[in-house]
Amino acid sequence: MNSKLLAGGAVAIVAGAFLYSQSNTSVNVELSQLQHVPADTPIFYGQLKPFPYAKYFELMPSAMKGGNDLTPVVAQLRTSGDPNALFIAALLEKYQTSLTSYDTFKSTWGFSDESMGLFYSQGLMPIFRIKVGEQTALLNSIKESADEAGISYSDESSQGVTYTQFALTLDGIDDIHLIASATDNWVTLTLSSPLTNEQDLRIALGVEKPVKSLADTDKLATLINTFSLDGNSVGYVDHQRIANALTGKENSRLHQMLKELLNKAQQGNALSAISTPECQDDIATIAAKWPATVSGTTKTRITTDYANFDVKAVLQSTDQDLLNTLQAIRGFVPKHTTQLDGQVLSVAYGVDVAKVMPLANTLTGAIKSAEFNCGPIVALQNEMQDVSTAGLAMMSGFANGVQGMSVSVQDAAFTIDDYQGPQIDKLDAIVTLSATDAHGLYSIAQGFVPPLANIKLPANGDAVLINEYIPSPVPLNFDIKMALKGNHIVIFTGDKSAQIADTLESQSVTKNGFVNMAFDVQKILLPLLDSVAATGQLSDEEMAELDSLRHQPVSVYFATDITDNGINMESNVQITKE
C-alpha cells in the first residue's frame, strides 16, 4: 500500500475546492486588475473577490496540504545537480516548512488573510498576479531559493516598475527568465523567453495596458450570467482563440508565438496542413459550436468549523440540435445518489438505453454527411464511413427499457487475513437497475443468466434472500436480498440500504440526470488504513503517514448532466474540522 498515493489522492480532491464565493449573485465585475488582462487571452482564471485563506488554511487537515508528499520529491530534485531542479527543490522545501502554521506560511509568502488572484496569458507568456499583504516576502523567498540553487538574478526596471529576473536554462535554451515584481501589494510572476518581446513584458508587468483588455469587454459578466455563477471566481479556456491561433485565421500574439516556437524547433511547416483558408474556416466553424470550457463558483460557505463549496464546470456548446440529441439519452438517477447524505460512496448512471443506438446513428451520420473542405477533416470523414454501430444495436435490443443503474455503499468494514485474503466484516450497500418495465426486463434477464431463473421476485415488492446464488471466494456473513420495487430491480444488504430500497417503490423513472458520484474520503480510508496497519508490514514512518490520513472529514459530490448550455459538471465539496 502506497501511503503517499493515498495522501496525493486526498490532495487532488481538495485541489478542486480551492474556489470561493460568498453567496453573492452580483455580476458586476469591477476588479481594476482586469485592465491588465488582454481581451484575447486564451486562458483565464480569476479569484475576483476575497477568499478567506486564513480560515481555509486552519480548517484544512495537515495531510491534505500536501507537505508530507514533498520530501521524496525534494530529495530526487537535489540529486540531479541541475540548477533549475535545485531552485524548484528549494522552493518546495520552503513551502513544506511554511505549512507548519498559518503564521509561518503568511510570513514566508506574504499572503493576506483574504486573497485574490488572476492567471492569464499574453500569447504563450503565462502571467500570475496575486494580491498579498506584504509584498516583499514572496520575492525574498524566491531570491533565497535562487541563492541556495546558484541561480543568478538581477534587479531591472521598466518605465518605473522594478522587477527581478532569475536566469533559467531549459534544454540548452538561453534567455529564459522567471520574472517577479511587486507593486501596490500585487505580486506578478511570469516567464520571459526568446518568444517574448519588450511589449509582452510591459503588458505582463502592468506597465502598458493591452490594446483591448478584458475589462473593456462584457465577457466575464456574460459568462457569470449564462452559467449562473456567483461572480466570486470564474475561469475559462477559449477554444475559439486557440483554434484560430493554430490555423492562423487570427494573427494574434498567440499565433505569432506558436509560429516562432515551431520555427525555432525546425518544425515550421507542422501546422501548414490546417492553415489553408478552407481549414481556417472549417475549424473556426467547429470551434464556434464548442467555444469554451467555463468554470466558477456558484455558492460556498467557509467558517472556522467547516467549508462547503459549490463549483461548476461546463464544456460550452452552441449546437442546440446536438445538445437536444444528447439530452435524449439522459435517464434516471435515484434520489439517494443526488446529494451528500452520509454515504461511503455512490455512483449512478442515468441512461435511456433505447436512445443510445439512435444517438450513435445520428452522430456518425452527422459526421459523415457534414460538408467540409479542409483536407485533414475530409480524410477523417472518409475513415468514419466504415464505422459500424452493430454492437450498440445488440446491446440496445437486450437492455431496451433500461433507464439507469446505481451502486451505493452506506457502510463497510473489512480485514486482511494472512491466509484467506480480504474478509468483509460488514457491508451496507444497494445496487439498483431502473427500467420502464422492470418486471419484463427481469423476465428477459432470467433467460440469459441461469442463476436468475431460480430467483422468483414477488410482485408486491417483498425481498428474497439470494446468498446461495452468489459465487464468492470469501464467506458472506450477512444477508443479501433482491426485490422488485416498482420500476426498480434492487439488490441490497444492511438496514440503511433496506430503507433506501423501500423509498424506490414510489420513485418513477423520469429523465432527471446522467452521471452522479459521491464519496466520503474519511469513511473510505479508515477501514483501508486499519486493515493495512494490521498487517504490521509498514515502517514507523509509513505508519505515521497513515495516521495523518485518519483525520480528513471530506465529502465530495459530482453531478454531470447535459443542459442547454453544454455538458455540465457540478460539484459540492464539504470539509469539516475535527
Side-chain angles (χ1 to χ4, degrees):
M1 174 57 60
N2 189 333
S3 59
K4 298 185 187 302
L5 184 59
L6 293 175
V11 172
I13 292 169
V14 178
F18 192 78
L19 297 168
Y20 175 69
S21 84
Q22 298 170 333
S23 301
N24 185 338
T25 58
S26 169
V27 297
N28 187 21
V29 181
E30 295 181 340
L31 184 62
S32 62
Q33 296 297 316
L34 294 175
Q35 298 175 14
H36 301 293
V37 181
D40 64 352
T41 177
I43 185 170
F44 174 83
Y45 168 77
Q47 182 61 52
L48 305 180
K49 296 182 181 179
F51 177 91
Y53 192 73
K55 288 182 180 178
Y56 185 71
F57 185 97
E58 297 296 347
L59 176 68
M60 191 167 47
S62 59
M64 294 168 59
K65 296 170 185 172
N68 292 339
D69 290 338
L70 298 180
T71 299
V73 176
V74 170
Q76 184 174 3
L77 288 170
R78 290 195 183 284
T79 60
S80 70
D82 176 70
N84 292 336
L86 295 176
F87 186 31
I88 295 172
L91 286 169
L92 291 177
E93 192 168 47
K94 192 175 290 293
Y95 171 73
Q96 182 172 254
T97 302
S98 73
L99 294 176
T100 55
S101 71
Y102 180 69
D103 287 340
T104 304
F105 186 88
K106 184 176 178 180
S107 63
T108 302
W109 307 108
F111 283 11
S112 57
D113 292 346
E114 294 189 334
S115 61
M116 301 169 67
L118 303 173
F119 175 77
Y120 54 97
S121 74
Q122 164 73 355
L124 289 175
M125 187 182 194
I127 304 167
F128 177 60
R129 297 171 68 86
I130 184 168
K131 182 71 176 292
V132 296
E134 203 289 299
Q135 66 183 29
T136 62
L138 179 56
L139 271 61
N140 288 339
S141 291
I142 297 175
K143 288 180 179 180
E144 290 170 4
S145 299
D147 289 335
E148 184 178 333
I151 295 287
S152 62
Y153 56 89
S154 61
D155 292 331
E156 308 290 342
S157 66
S158 178
Q159 297 186 10
V161 173
T162 301
Y163 63 93
T164 303
Q165 59 178 16
F166 300 82
L168 307 176
T169 301
L170 299 179
D171 295 329
I173 302 176
D174 295 327
D175 204 23
I176 303 287
H177 292 92
L178 169 66
I179 305 292
S181 175
T183 305
D184 297 330
N185 289 100
W186 278 87
V187 172
T188 300
L189 299 175
T190 186
L191 284 174
S192 68
S193 71
L195 302 178
T196 60
N197 56 36
E198 286 299 318
Q199 184 181 42
D200 296 327
L201 181 59
R202 291 195 300 270
I203 290 176
L205 294 174
V207 173
E208 178 180 328
K209 292 182 180 179
V211 174
K212 186 176 183 181
S213 74
L214 199 57
D216 297 327
T217 74
D218 63 353
K219 183 164 188 171
L220 294 184
T222 299
L223 293 178
I224 290 168
N225 269 322
T226 301
F227 300 104
S228 301
L229 306 178
D230 61 17
N232 286 273
S233 67
V234 61
Y236 62 82
V237 177
D238 193 323
H239 305 158
Q240 291 178 282
R241 296 285 186 190
I242 295 172
N244 289 339
L246 289 171
T247 64
K249 187 176 181 64
E250 291 181 357
N251 188 30
S252 62
R253 195 69 187 99
L254 177 60
H255 169 70
Q256 294 167 5
M257 287 188 178
L258 282 171
K259 187 175 180 180
E260 189 171 352
L261 177 64
L262 291 173
N263 286 335
K264 289 181 179 297
Q266 297 183 340
Q267 297 291 325
N269 296 322
L271 300 177
S272 59
I274 61 171
S275 297
T276 63
E278 294 80 8
C279 286
Q280 289 175 346
D281 290 342
D282 284 349
I283 293 175
T285 299
I286 295 171
K289 292 180 180 294
W290 299 89
T293 298
V294 182
S295 64
T297 51
T298 56
K299 185 177 68 175
T300 298
R301 296 180 299 276
I302 296 180
T303 70
T304 55
D305 297 319
Y306 73 92
N308 190 331
F309 299 87
D310 286 318
V311 183
K312 178 184 290 186
V314 183
L315 176 58
Q316 184 184 14
S317 177
T318 61
D319 190 337
Q320 202 57 54
D321 291 338
L322 176 60
L323 290 176
N324 291 339
T325 303
L326 291 173
Q327 286 173 341
I329 70 165
R330 295 171 72 245
F332 172 80
V333 292
K335 185 176 180 180
H336 66 278
T337 69
T338 60
Q339 61 185 340
L340 289 171
D341 193 25
Q343 66 268 63
V344 177
L345 65 90
S346 67
V347 179
Y349 181 33
V351 58
D352 186 342
V353 173
K355 302 294 185 182
V356 172
M357 184 63 186
L359 171 65
N361 287 333
T362 298
L363 293 179
T364 55
I367 294 173
K368 292 175 182 178
S369 62
E371 295 184 4
F372 291 112
N373 298 306
C374 175
I377 298 179
V378 172
L380 179 62
Q381 276 186 298
N382 293 334
E383 292 181 10
M384 289 290 295
Q385 300 302 320
D386 297 328
V387 172
S388 173
T389 57
L392 285 175
M394 183 179 299
M395 181 196 75
S396 299
F398 172 75
N400 190 38
V402 170
Q403 297 292 306
M405 59 206 75
S406 75
V407 178
S408 181
V409 178
Q410 324 315 318
D411 197 6
F414 60 90
T415 56
I416 298 178
D417 187 284
D418 290 339
Y419 300 99
Q420 299 183 21
Q423 303 293 302
I424 303 175
D425 298 327
K426 179 174 62 175
L427 183 65
D428 192 320
I430 182 170
V431 178
T432 72
L433 180 65
S434 304
T436 52
D437 181 7
H439 184 274
L441 180 66
Y442 184 70
S443 298
I444 295 174
Q446 285 181 305
F448 286 91
V449 185
L452 294 181
N454 299 315
I455 303 175
K456 308 300 180 183
L457 299 182
N460 65 0
D462 288 347
V464 298
L465 196 64
I466 62 170
N467 287 53
E468 64 179 295
Y469 302 107
I470 300 177
S472 175
V474 297
L476 298 176
N477 300 317
F478 38 82
D479 292 339
I480 300 178
K481 299 177 180 181
M482 190 173 184
L484 189 63
K485 299 287 187 179
N487 292 111
H488 316 278
I489 302 169
V490 298
I491 300 175
F492 64 93
T493 182
D495 294 338
K496 291 182 180 178
S497 293
Q499 294 173 7
I500 292 172
D502 288 339
T503 67
L504 288 166
E505 188 83 39
S506 61
Q507 295 185 43
S508 59
V509 287
T510 58
K511 289 182 177 292
N512 64 348
F514 189 43
V515 179
N516 293 353
M517 181 171 63
F519 52 93
D520 186 305
V521 177
Q522 191 176 45
K523 289 181 179 179
I524 291 174
L525 287 179
L526 283 179
L528 179 62
L529 298 180
D530 288 337
S531 300
V532 172
T535 64
Q537 299 178 356
L538 301 182
S539 66
D540 291 342
E541 179 181 318
E542 290 173 324
M543 280 300 302
E545 289 187 15
L546 287 178
D547 286 336
S548 71
L549 296 172
R550 294 180 181 276
H551 304 290
Q552 298 190 62
V554 179
S555 300
V556 184
Y557 173 76
F558 296 101
T560 301
D561 208 347
I562 302 163
T563 71
D564 290 340
N565 289 322
I567 300 175
N568 186 92
M569 187 180 81
E570 297 188 22
S571 62
N572 173 245
V573 180
Q574 298 178 10
I575 305 174
T576 305
K577 188 174 184 179
E578 286 197 340

